[in-house]
Amino acid sequence: MSAGIALRVGTATDTGRVRTVNEDTSLVEDGLFAVADGMGGHVAGEVASRVAIDSLRAHYGVEGLIEAVQIANRAVYDRATEDPALRGMGTTICAVALVERDGDAVLDVVNVGDSRVYVYRQGELVQLTEDHSLVGDLERDGRITPEEARVHPQRNVVTRSIGIEPEVEVDSFEIDPYRGDRVLLCSDGLFDMIEDTDILGVLRNQTDPEAAAERLVHLANEAGGRDNITVVLVDVVDDGGKAEDASASLAGTTVASRPVDRILADEPASAGSSEQVPSPPPVRRMTWRSTLFSLALLGVLAAAAGGTWWFARSGWFVGLDGERVSLFRGRPDGVLWFDPTVERRTNLRLDDLQPSRRATVEDKHQFTSREAAERFIRRVQSETTTTTIAGPGQTATTDAASPDDTVLPPTSAPPTTAAP
Ligand code: MN
């Protein structure tokens, strides 16, 4: 166990009021907690969750938590492959482990499937894990509401689970444990039956973890108990002074980043005695996947910004700076905050130009290169000279620009930039 950290755990499970078999399996060991919800018919579902939990228990410690879940996946898969009666069985699994990392105690969280891990902190409840389910996908896409998800006819369709494929992708998260945190692992038999606000109410009011776990199962049964219900509640009762440290380091700053997932605010101050403890930071749902995503997003933004800058600065045109015909760099109307800049002013005024040239200047016609634009300027300069000698009309028929001078029509799209 990590120094200074003390956990207290409550757990409860029930078959519910409809099913005849409890296919859920839970695990409560020193520093390792898990819930698995088996699928695949009576015996098979029970076997799947049991095999997964046994394998996790056997391999965690030697292996990391993610690796242990991958081994558990293989164990269930192999068992289902060997035994025709168990073919197609699978299970969800979510697990929490207390580990020491760089001298700090942290809680590692992993998930596959649609069981959930919630974190209750400072009166807020955050769903840490993402459901790997059809309705979870629909909800994340904003196509259905959480309320619609709960009653969706296909709410039991799981999109990722243990034992179905030889390899499985495991979501992982990390929590800094603070005194007062309550980490809730549960199967869908809980949150399909009762609202998150109901869960929050129990976590707020029932301080004893065992009593809270039993209360949650009781409420799910009262609401119909359509599925097996399993709850493991892990309380951080001591964090070795971490909350105070965090509070001190946060003092005077305005950090307060909000959890990105569903937040349920507490009712105004139920101010218990423990509220004297300074506030730890809110739970942030930052995973290695979201980190990768953030980095990728930064890359895309940087490329886009670079591309925009390049696009904004890549054009050349001849226009008027005040009354003087001038060479500009950039796009005639600018791009975002990049305005065109004057590169060179000439002595020419618009009236000095051949009428046929004026439109080019007035329309801020774009050239493919500085050279092309300079060529145009030299040409109109020579024309004005010629004009004064030879008279108007003399050079008007000569087309100034060679074909390659004028590409980039005004509607040209920004170039695609380097993909990250
Ligand atoms: Mn279930």
Side-chain angles (χ1 to χ4, degrees):
M1 285 288 271
S2 302
I5 292 284
L7 304 177
R8 210 166 139 221
V9 188
T11 181
T13 187
D14 195 78
T15 307
R17 294 193 169 164
V18 175
R19 306 283 177 91
T20 53
V21 178
N22 192 343
E23 299 180 334
D24 291 355
T25 303
S26 62
L27 173 65
V28 175
E29 285 207 337
D30 191 24
L32 179 62
F33 315 95
V35 165
D37 177 351
M39 297 160 286
H42 277 16
V43 189
E46 211 182 348
V47 172
S49 64
R50 172 55 54 197
V51 169
I53 291 291
D54 285 348
S55 176
L56 178 71
R57 181 201 283 126
H59 293 99
Y60 175 70
V62 180
E63 303 284 343
L65 192 56
I66 294 172
E67 292 75 20
V69 169
Q70 284 165 339
I71 293 169
N73 173 72
R74 191 67 199 216
V76 177
Y77 177 81
D78 287 346
R79 186 75 182 275
T81 312
E82 288 158 14
D83 188 344
L86 300 175
R87 190 143 298 156
M89 73 173 178
T91 181
T92 73
I93 197 164
C94 59
V96 174
L98 179 63
V99 298
E100 194 162 323
R101 187 162 297 135
D102 305 326
D104 268 332
V106 297
L107 292 172
D108 276 345
V109 179
V110 291
N111 181 56
V112 176
D114 68 347
S115 296
R116 287 182 184 172
V117 177
Y118 291 89
V119 181
Y120 170 87
R121 173 179 293 176
Q122 297 287 305
E124 289 182 343
L125 187 67
V126 177
Q127 184 189 326
L128 192 65
T129 51
E130 269 177 13
D131 300 345
H132 301 140
S133 64
L134 189 68
V135 291
D137 290 347
L138 293 172
E139 205 183 313
R140 275 190 294 281
D141 291 348
R143 291 163 68 185
I144 59 172
T145 64
E147 292 68 38
E148 288 167 340
R150 189 174 292 113
V151 295
H152 197 279
Q154 286 168 300
R155 65 183 172 279
N156 292 325
V157 177
V158 175
T159 51
R160 203 197 299 174
S161 58
I162 295 289
I164 303 300
E165 301 283 340
E167 307 289 337
V168 73
E169 187 189 351
V170 180
D171 287 357
S172 68
F173 312 84
E174 192 183 284
I175 310 169
D176 282 325
Y178 290 98
R179 178 146 61 104
D181 285 357
R182 315 190 84 174
V183 182
L184 171 70
L185 299 81
C186 56
S187 60
D188 61 350
L190 179 72
F191 54 82
D192 274 353
M193 290 291 106
I194 64 173
E195 305 277 344
D196 284 2
T197 46
D198 300 325
I199 297 174
L200 178 62
V202 172
L203 296 182
R204 194 165 55 209
N205 296 317
Q206 187 50 264
T207 50
D208 178 66
E210 194 72 39
E214 277 163 17
R215 177 76 187 152
L216 288 169
V217 169
H218 173 75
L219 289 179
N221 268 327
E222 261 192 343
R226 283 199 306 264
D227 194 4
N228 309 144
I229 311 143
T230 299
V231 167
V232 174
L233 183 60
V234 183
D235 283 358
V236 180
V237 293
D238 191 359
D239 63 8
K242 203 165 168 171
E244 283 82 353
D245 293 349
S247 175
S249 70
L250 287 173
T253 69
T254 53
V255 178
S257 89
R258 308 282 293 175
V260 298
D261 219 341
R262 212 178 313 160
I263 299 164
L264 297 162
D266 198 355
E267 283 166 3
S270 59
S273 54
S274 66
E275 296 306 312
Q276 296 302 335
V277 176
S279 310
V283 177
R284 258 157 297 180
R285 201 168 168 287
M286 194 71 177
T287 69
W288 63 270
R289 288 208 307 170
S290 58
T291 306
L292 279 184
F293 176 77
S294 303
L295 288 175
L297 187 64
L298 274 180
V300 170
L301 289 176
T308 304
W309 180 85
W310 179 87
F311 176 71
R313 301 300 295 156
S314 63
W316 297 91
F317 66 93
V318 178
L320 289 176
D321 180 37
E323 295 191 323
R324 303 304 180 97
V325 172
S326 303
L327 172 65
F328 287 84
R329 181 177 185 184
R331 300 283 152 173
D333 300 317
V335 176
L336 298 178
W337 53 90
F338 302 110
D339 287 328
T341 50
V342 179
E343 294 294 305
R344 190 164 77 79
R345 292 180 89 203
T346 70
N347 293 323
L348 297 170
R349 296 164 191 276
L350 195 60
D351 290 345
D352 299 332
L353 269 55
Q354 296 278 336
S356 63
R357 300 293 179 215
R358 288 179 196 159
T360 303
V361 176
E362 285 172 325
D363 295 348
K364 301 176 179 176
H365 180 84
Q366 293 185 61
F367 294 86
T368 50
S369 64
R370 178 173 193 142
E371 289 65 43
E374 293 278 17
R375 224 159 29 234
F376 173 81
I377 289 172
R378 280 198 301 275
R379 206 162 277 144
V380 293
Q381 277 173 326
S382 69
E383 281 168 5
T384 44
T385 320
T386 322
T387 302
T388 44
I389 298 163
Q394 193 77 21
T395 56
T397 52
T398 350
D399 199 22
S402 59
D404 68 319
D405 284 349
T406 59
V407 188
L408 290 177
T411 52
S412 81
T416 48
T417 54

